[in-house]
């Protein structure tokens, strides 16, 4: 399972995010790119991390504007730099899915199949429990 990998990347991303947020000076371009890289790797570990990453971007954008008292163009530039780095890491996997499977996000198993019906796998429960 990807849970351990996802947790490791998520903890690393949040730790680095906290490190950048706790400082008074604005992050350099390299630091912004590193945050984007960590976000991209977190997304690759588990694609539903996109919601955590989006929340992290919103919090960072608001922090730069409110606490850092930076102008809107400065906050947008930082968000764009980090976002492009995140997308650059995730884009090859997204393109592969689109080309090979017809969808950017994987559709896995019978649970998301068009032909699946509620309770169609109930007949397998006794054997699995045994």
């Amino acid at each position: 399972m990807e849970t351990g990998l996802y947790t490791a990347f998520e903890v690393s991303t949040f730790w680095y995010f906290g490190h950048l947020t706790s400082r008074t000076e604005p992050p350099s371009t390299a630091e912004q790119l590193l945050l984007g890289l960590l976000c991209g790797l977190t997304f690759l570990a588990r694609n539903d991390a996109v919601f955590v990453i989006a929340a992290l971007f919103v919090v960072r954008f608001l922090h730069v504007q409110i606490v850092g008292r930076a102008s809107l163009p400065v906050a947008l530039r930082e968000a764009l730099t980090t976002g492009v780095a995140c997308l650059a890491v995730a884009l090859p996997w997204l393109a592969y899915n689109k080309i090979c499977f017809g969808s950017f996000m994987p559709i896995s198993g019978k649970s998301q199949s068009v032909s699946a019906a509620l309770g169609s796998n109930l007949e397998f429960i006794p054997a699995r429990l045994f």
Side-chain angles (χ1 to χ4, degrees), residues 45-91:
R46 188 163 172 93
N47 61 19
D48 59 356
V50 70
F51 301 110
V52 173
I53 293 166
L56 188 128
F57 275 41
V58 168
V59 168
R60 180 68 190 161
F61 181 79
L62 292 174
H63 182 269
V64 168
Q65 285 237 288
I66 296 168
V67 177
R69 305 221 190 281
S71 65
L72 183 62
V74 170
L76 286 174
R77 187 182 70 235
E78 181 179 329
L80 187 64
T81 303
T82 305
V84 166
C86 179
L87 188 60
V89 172
L91 195 59

Side-chain angles (χ1 to χ4, degrees), residues 110-111 113-122:
K110 197 171 182 179
S111 65
S113 174
V114 175
S115 64
L118 183 62
S120 64
N121 59 352
L122 289 176

Side-chain angles (χ1 to χ4, degrees), residues 1 8 21 24 29 31 44 54 57 59 65 96 107 112 114-116:
M1 301 270 317
T21 305
T24 55
T29 302
E31 291 169 329
L44 288 178
F57 275 41
V59 168
Q65 285 237 288
Y96 174 79
I107 299 173
Q112 296 177 354
V114 175
S115 64

